[in-house]
Amino acid sequence: MTITMNESMAESMAITSLAALAQPMRLRVFRALVGAGPAGLTPGVLSALLDVSPSTLSFHLKGLARSGLVTQAREGRHLRYRPALEHMQALLGYLTDHCCASSGDPRVAAGCALAPARQRNPASSSPMRCIEKA
């Protein structure tokens, strides 16, 4: 399923997701889960990896799950947490959806590497092209 930001991510959901990531430990947990990819990690592995107590980790995992950035699945006696990669992509899209659109120059907006792929010019080689022209 392809998600487009303006269809799937309301401003309130973006705020909730960003607020969840605005805490250092939650950001570390989320980055570790993104690094693990779709396979995710168990709380025991995360706790050891991040050197954080299980109770503290549990608190932060619940916050990330409430924000929609993390999913939880029971596997026998264990829980496995996974990054909600589509949600993450939706959040990134929401943040970059209008990149360079107000520049006044449609060529800049079309060539901006941060703009959504549907608007981006594939010939643009520099990820900072829209900023360099400003």
Side-chain angles (χ1 to χ4, degrees), residues 11-56:
E11 184 176 273
S12 62
M13 183 58 94
I15 291 168
T16 299
S17 298
L18 292 170
L21 294 173
Q23 202 287 334
M25 180 53 67
R26 284 190 193 147
L27 182 59
R28 288 179 61 208
V29 170
F30 184 69
R31 291 189 68 198
L33 289 171
V34 169
L41 296 169
T42 62
V45 171
L46 271 169
S47 181
L49 181 68
L50 300 173
D51 192 29
V52 62
S53 73
S55 61
T56 299

Side-chain angles (χ1 to χ4, degrees), residues 29-86:
V29 170
F30 184 69
R31 291 189 68 198
L33 289 171
V34 169
L41 296 169
T42 62
V45 171
L46 271 169
S47 181
L49 181 68
L50 300 173
D51 192 29
V52 62
S53 73
S55 61
T56 299
L57 179 63
S58 177
F59 172 79
H60 290 297
L61 284 168
K62 286 178 186 174
L64 289 168
R66 274 192 305 271
S67 73
L69 289 165
V70 168
T71 63
Q72 169 190 310
R74 181 161 292 284
E75 294 178 355
R77 296 177 49 208
H78 301 282
L79 293 175
R80 182 166 299 270
Y81 288 87
R82 293 179 173 90
L85 298 174
E86 286 188 4

Side-chain angles (χ1 to χ4, degrees), residues 107-119:
R107 294 171 297 164
V108 171
C112 180
L114 298 176
R118 68 184 180 279
Q119 295 175 358

